[in-house]
Amino acid sequence: MIQFDPNLIKLEYKIDLIIKKDLFNKKQIKCCPICGSTNYIKYGSYKEIQRFKCKSKSCGKTFSLTTNSIWSYSKKSSKKWIEFMELMMEKRSLRYCAEKLKISLGTAFYWRHKILNGFMKEVNPSELCDNVHIGKGAVKENFKGKRNITTSKREDIWIIAARGNKDSILVTPICKKVWNFRSFQEKIYSKIYKNSYITAYGDRYLQAIAKKHNNGMKKKKGKVDNCIKYFRSNLNIWMSCFHGIGTKYLKKYLSWFILFYLEKKIDYMDITYELLKENNFLTTKKIRDIKENM
Ligand SMILES: [Zn+2]
C-alpha cells in the first residue's frame, strides 16, 4: 500500500540528514575534545556520523564529529542553521531572522553569538610580518546591553586595523578617549615582527610609532593598502546599518566586519563549513552570562 506524504516531510528529513552528514564529515578530529588525548579509536557511527572512543584511562568517553561543534545539541534542522547564516550575512535583525525561520528570538540571539564567537577565533591573524600597514578608526561608546549606566557621556573607542602579509586583517578596539600606548603594544605591536616595515595612515601616534620602528630600515616598496587607508570611513559605513552595537560586543562584531572587508569571496556555505571544522562550541551558560549582563 502506498503511503502519502503530501508535505514531503520524509524528504525534508532525509535532506537534513544528508546536509548534516556532509557538514560534519569535513571536520578533522585531532584529539579527544573532552580530555585532549590523542589516543582514540573509531567507535561506530550514529546517523552516519562517525563516533570515537577515547582510550585514555582517566577519560574513556565517547564522542563524535558533532561534539563541541558550533551547533552541538541543537535540535533545529541543519538547513535552518545555514539559512540563518545567510540572513546574518545580509545583516538582518534578530527579530527578522526569528520570524523568517520560525525560531524564537532567544535562539536567534544564541546563534548569532555562537557564530560571532567562531568568527573571533577564525579571522584575527596572530602575527604581522613583512610590510605592515596600520590605520585607525573610532566609534562612539555604546551602552547597549549594560546595566548600571552611570554616565550619558559617550567617549570615542579607538580601533586599530593592521595587516601584514597574511590574507586577513587584525582589527581590534584598543582604548577609550585617549591614546593608550600600552594597550597598543599588547594588542598590536607585540604581533609585529622586528624586521617588518610599518606604513601608518593618517594618525600622528601611529606615524610616530612607524618612524621609530622603521629607524634605519630601507623603505620597502609596496602598494598602498586601501583597505587600511580607508578603514575609518568604511567601518563607519558598515556599522551604520546596525542600530548601535554595544561596546561590550564590539570586538566580536569587528570579526564579522573583517569577513565582510576581506577581498576574498565567501558565502554562507563556506562560512558554515569553516565554523564546523573547529571546536567552536560555546556553552549556553557562557552565552547566558552575556545575556544576563544585558
Ligand atoms: Zn578523552
Side-chain angles (χ1 to χ4, degrees):
M1 174 192 166
I2 293 175
Q3 286 182 320
F4 298 112
D5 182 13
N7 294 325
L8 302 178
I9 290 166
K10 270 194 172 171
L11 176 66
E12 190 73 11
Y13 178 70
K14 187 71 190 164
I15 289 174
D16 201 62
L17 282 185
I18 292 169
I19 295 176
K20 210 170 258 177
K21 203 179 121 189
D22 183 53
L23 287 174
F24 285 116
N25 283 335
K26 297 269 188 310
K27 190 171 171 181
Q28 282 164 3
I29 298 281
K30 292 176 195 119
C31 59
C32 163
I34 298 132
C35 73
S37 163
T38 50
N39 189 9
Y40 58 87
I41 51 160
K42 282 189 176 176
Y43 199 67
S45 59
Y46 176 67
K47 287 184 180 170
E48 296 181 57
I49 293 176
Q50 184 66 50
R51 289 195 66 79
F52 303 90
K53 187 173 169 62
C54 178
K55 295 286 278 174
S56 155
K57 272 190 192 130
S58 55
C59 176
K61 298 264 173 31
T62 56
F63 56 93
S64 85
L65 289 170
T66 68
T67 306
N68 277 4
S69 81
I70 192 164
W71 279 291
S72 289
Y73 315 114
S74 169
K75 290 189 180 65
K76 301 277 189 294
S77 76
S78 42
K79 240 175 103 192
K80 273 207 171 134
W81 310 336
I82 297 170
E83 284 164 358
F84 183 83
M85 197 66 89
E86 168 62 15
L87 294 178
M88 186 157 161
M89 293 305 103
E90 292 172 10
K91 295 210 283 179
R92 301 289 185 176
S93 70
L94 288 179
R95 200 164 291 279
Y96 180 94
C97 296
E99 273 167 26
K100 180 107 180 167
L101 300 178
K102 298 188 175 63
I103 55 177
S104 72
L105 198 56
T107 300
F109 177 89
Y110 281 105
W111 283 8
R112 177 177 283 185
H113 279 271
K114 276 171 185 284
I115 293 165
L116 288 177
N117 245 59
F119 286 172
M120 273 222 289
K121 285 203 211 160
E122 293 292 330
V123 295
N124 279 302
S126 57
E127 54 189 36
L128 299 157
C129 41
D130 289 349
N131 279 318
V132 176
H133 300 256
I134 315 181
K136 197 188 86 180
V139 294
K140 280 272 174 250
E141 193 173 9
N142 184 305
F143 300 115
K144 213 176 189 178
K146 202 175 175 192
R147 280 182 186 169
N148 309 325
I149 301 159
T150 47
T151 174
S152 59
K153 197 168 179 308
R154 302 195 307 152
E155 306 286 2
D156 276 338
I157 306 287
W158 296 33
I159 300 165
I160 296 290
R163 173 149 64 181
N165 66 351
K166 295 271 158 49
D167 62 355
S168 192
I169 309 172
L170 179 63
V171 181
T172 188
I174 61 153
C175 53
K176 189 165 94 173
K177 195 174 167 188
V178 286
W179 176 252
N180 181 333
F181 183 70
R182 254 181 77 187
S183 174
F184 175 81
Q185 178 106 10
E186 184 195 318
K187 290 172 181 164
I188 307 283
Y189 196 67
S190 61
K191 298 186 166 70
I192 300 178
Y193 277 45
K194 281 210 164 54
N195 59 357
S196 303
Y197 188 87
I198 302 180
T199 306
Y201 299 93
D203 178 83
R204 65 193 163 100
Y205 293 102
L206 296 181
Q207 303 275 9
I209 288 163
K211 199 175 166 194
K212 198 174 164 206
H213 176 95
N214 298 336
N215 189 21
M217 234 186 276
K218 243 173 90 184
K219 189 175 174 164
K220 284 186 190 170
K221 268 193 186 155
K223 277 196 290 183
V224 169
D225 189 327
N226 285 325
C227 267
I228 306 295
K229 190 175 178 187
Y230 301 111
F231 166 69
R232 186 180 185 133
S233 52
N234 287 326
L235 176 70
N236 289 340
I237 294 167
W238 186 80
M239 299 243 317
S240 65
C241 303
F242 297 100
H243 302 289
I245 293 171
T247 298
K248 58 189 274 197
Y249 307 128
L250 188 58
K251 205 168 178 274
K252 284 186 178 181
Y253 276 83
L254 288 173
S255 309
W256 182 359
F257 169 77
I258 295 171
L259 282 178
F260 158 85
Y261 205 38
L262 293 175
E263 291 95 347
K264 254 194 295 186
K265 277 191 182 139
I266 34 173
D267 65 20
Y268 59 95
M269 282 313 287
D270 303 327
I271 294 174
T272 310
Y273 281 124
E274 213 47 52
L275 288 181
L276 283 167
K277 258 198 231 157
E278 295 293 324
N279 291 333
N280 275 321
F281 185 64
L282 188 65
T283 62
T284 38
K285 190 194 167 298
K286 269 200 184 145
I287 303 178
R288 212 177 295 133
D289 290 343
I290 305 170
K291 214 177 173 182
E292 269 161 17
N293 289 321
M294 279 175 82

